[in-house]
Amino acid sequence: MLEDRMFVIAGAGLAGAKAAATLREEGFSGRIALIGTEPELPYERPPLSKGLLLGTAQRDDAYVHDPDWYAAHDVDLRTATTVNAIDAEKRRVRLSDGDDLAYDKLLLATGASPRTLGVPGAGLGNVFSLRTLADSDRIAETVRAGTRLVVVGSGWIGLEVAAAARLRGATVTVVTPAALPLRGVLGDRLAKVFLALHREHGVDFRFGTRVHELRGGPDVAQVVLADETTINADVVLVAIGVTPNTGLADQARLPVGNGVLVDRHLRTAEKDISAAGDVAAVDHPLLRARLRVEHWDTALHTGPVAARAMLGQDAVWDRLPYFFTDQYDLGMEYAGWVQPGAAAEVVIRGHEQGREFIAFWTVGGRVAAGMNVNVWDVTEQIQALVRAGLDGHTADPARLADPTVALPELLA
Ligand SMILES: Cc1cc2nc3c(=O)[nH]c(=O)nc-3n(C[C@H](O)[C@H](O)[C@H](O)COP(=O)(O)OP(=O)(O)OC[C@H]3O[C@@H](n4cnc5c(N)ncnc54)[C@H](O)[C@@H]3O)c2cc1C
């Protein structure tokens, strides 16, 4: 039987597009409007800093669904359209195209936006951030052999673009206030693995410093650092993190912290409004913490969980955080979560120097997270160890480090 309920999804990224698909898979026969600011069909972002810059991936590969999927599933996809306001009392949303839609359920899947560099010259030409397909196209057009690229920030996206740019023949300098790349996420020992990798590929790092000013005109020509040293630059990538797009939730007076606050079912304080993906700060039942995870896997799975909960099912988001990166010939997956400030020990299984190993972070003897570098098909086993750790299981560090002990044996 067809029903006349209307579900509106604000944000047509991975979380939003997956939520729409799940609604149909679960048999929802009401109306679905999927509203997205970008002019593109919903797409996945990981290729933007990897395959699309390297020429190993095609644009079409990034799309979440085929172009004809939306009409075939009766999903009213409105691209280049923004949800401007929510009236939670009347359960209506106002769109930038002038339309005003009534909803029964609303999903906020508005993602996150890159932080900008608040220094003079930040608006010069060839100063980019990387969030959208259009950003990736611009970087691909401007970063060629011989281009002098300065990357501001030494997180995942900055390093992935640094790697792609080196492989395109550009000169790359990374500027960061940190003492090591990725130090905040990985700690000193593992951060040094990434530092060595990039140095071997000719990336120059400037640690412990900030960008003071960008000079040039109309395009950037120089990056001036806090100590007044200058770096000549043709292109600057600003990769200093993102902030969640909570504007709609703020306007609707929903509880917002570092993201839109949602329970384990991804519902906000307003029962008919849910949130998923990068924008959602979830009360995670297993980790017993509020988590906002900016990873592809989270968008992929929170969209469907939110959709099921919107249909009244007892759906819960209790997956462990998972992410991956590819830089040069290093492929890596990371699963689990180390509580910020926890005294974690690192145990390595395999060849750290040869970049073929698994690193475990243990807290109080329990495995909190694991990262496999150029070792494959172990993610589920690592996740099982982390789940066991959450149940109080401790792992002997000597056996964790011993590659002759199969990972499942550590659960015994
Ligand atoms: C370059 C890059 C590389 C990445 N690589 C990896 C990786 O290797 N591994 C990994 O785990 N993760 C990676 N990520 C992270 C991952 O892509 C994100 O976690 C994921 O895209 C989040 O999906 P989302 O649907 O929540 O948000 P988004 O993908 O940001 O989609 C949200 C959409 O909502 C739109 N929107 C915002 N406000 C409104 C509004 N009011 N009305 C309508 N539309 C609105 C936005 O324009 C956007 O299109 C990468 C991200 C980037 C940018």
Side-chain angles (χ1 to χ4, degrees):
M1 191 180 77
L2 289 179
E3 57 168 298
D4 61 5
R5 281 191 298 168
M6 165 64 131
F7 284 13
V8 174
I9 302 172
L14 180 58
K18 280 286 169 188
T22 301
L23 289 174
R24 288 297 182 233
E25 282 157 22
E26 293 292 327
F28 177 66
S29 60
R31 289 171 296 151
I32 302 173
L34 176 58
I35 317 294
T37 300
E38 292 183 62
E40 299 281 349
L41 296 174
Y43 59 91
E44 304 189 12
R45 299 185 196 272
L48 272 49
S49 50
K50 308 178 189 67
L52 285 173
L53 294 183
L54 292 167
T56 55
Q58 303 302 314
R59 229 181 151 76
D60 288 359
D61 302 339
Y63 292 118
V64 182
H65 304 300
D66 291 337
D68 53 5
W69 182 91
Y70 300 91
H73 291 81
D74 200 14
V75 172
D76 177 12
L77 171 66
R78 303 199 196 178
T79 55
T81 308
T82 296
V83 177
N84 280 339
I86 304 170
D87 184 333
E89 216 162 281
K90 294 188 180 140
R91 291 196 298 179
R92 300 191 77 86
V93 288
R94 203 173 59 241
L95 309 187
S96 59
D97 63 7
D99 231 350
D100 190 65
L101 300 179
Y103 64 81
D104 294 283
K105 298 282 178 191
L106 171 65
L107 176 63
L108 302 178
T110 48
S113 297
R115 289 200 192 107
T116 51
L117 203 58
V119 301
L124 287 168
N126 286 353
V127 177
F128 304 126
S129 50
L130 176 51
R131 184 75 191 177
T132 64
L133 264 174
D135 295 333
S136 182
D137 289 345
R138 276 191 286 270
I139 293 166
E141 276 158 25
T142 48
V143 176
R144 303 189 203 96
T147 303
R148 295 163 304 178
L149 169 69
V150 173
V151 176
V152 185
S154 60
W156 298 112
I157 290 177
L159 292 187
E160 287 177 359
V161 174
R166 285 298 298 135
L167 294 171
R168 292 172 78 100
T171 305
V172 180
T173 308
V174 174
V175 176
T176 171
L180 286 167
L182 301 169
R183 187 184 190 204
V185 203
L186 299 181
D188 286 7
R189 181 166 174 184
L190 278 312
K192 284 178 187 165
V193 172
F194 284 85
L195 174 63
L197 173 75
H198 280 270
R199 281 202 167 138
E200 276 168 32
H201 285 86
V203 175
D204 182 17
F205 284 87
R206 307 291 172 91
F207 291 114
T209 187
R210 290 176 188 277
V211 174
H212 177 67
E213 185 183 354
L214 303 178
R215 288 191 190 141
D219 294 336
V220 67
Q222 280 187 325
V223 177
V224 184
L225 304 184
D227 62 5
E228 290 181 13
T229 54
T230 57
I231 309 168
N232 293 330
D234 306 304
V235 178
V236 170
L237 174 75
V238 180
I240 53 174
V242 295
T243 45
N245 294 326
T246 57
L248 276 177
D250 286 327
Q251 174 270 321
R253 297 214 167 85
L254 296 171
V256 169
N258 173 29
V260 179
L261 305 192
V262 290
D263 64 12
R264 59 183 63 188
H265 309 288
L266 308 181
R267 292 193 192 109
T268 68
E270 196 69 54
K271 70 175 176 43
D272 294 322
I273 306 180
S274 301
D278 277 11
V279 78
V282 189
D283 193 3
H284 196 289
L286 278 188
L287 299 170
R288 296 179 203 96
R290 190 168 283 289
L291 244 61
R292 191 178 65 76
V293 186
E294 297 162 0
H295 300 327
W296 170 87
D297 184 77
T298 308
L300 187 72
H301 291 100
T302 51
V305 168
R308 289 193 190 98
M310 287 156 74
L311 291 170
Q313 299 176 17
D314 182 24
V316 167
W317 187 65
D318 59 1
R319 279 177 74 85
L320 294 171
Y322 162 90
F323 71 95
F324 59 91
T325 187
D326 295 307
Q327 298 172 31
Y328 311 105
D329 54 359
L330 183 152
M332 172 286 248
E333 295 171 288
Y334 179 109
W337 183 67
V338 180
Q339 190 162 24
E345 309 271 333
V346 175
V347 179
I348 304 282
R349 160 183 289 235
H351 307 288
E352 193 173 348
Q353 304 305 326
R355 295 188 200 114
E356 202 173 311
F357 63 89
I358 306 174
F360 297 98
W361 283 261
T362 65
V363 179
R366 301 168 186 182
V367 176
M371 172 173 92
N372 46 304
V373 173
N374 289 341
V375 172
W376 302 109
D377 301 324
V378 290
T379 295
E380 281 181 18
Q381 295 165 24
I382 291 172
Q383 290 187 349
L385 283 168
V386 174
R387 283 176 192 276
L390 289 166
D391 284 340
H393 179 92
T394 54
D396 173 10
R399 282 164 57 80
L400 260 186
D402 182 353
T404 65
V405 180
L407 292 179
E409 282 180 37
L410 291 161
L411 291 169

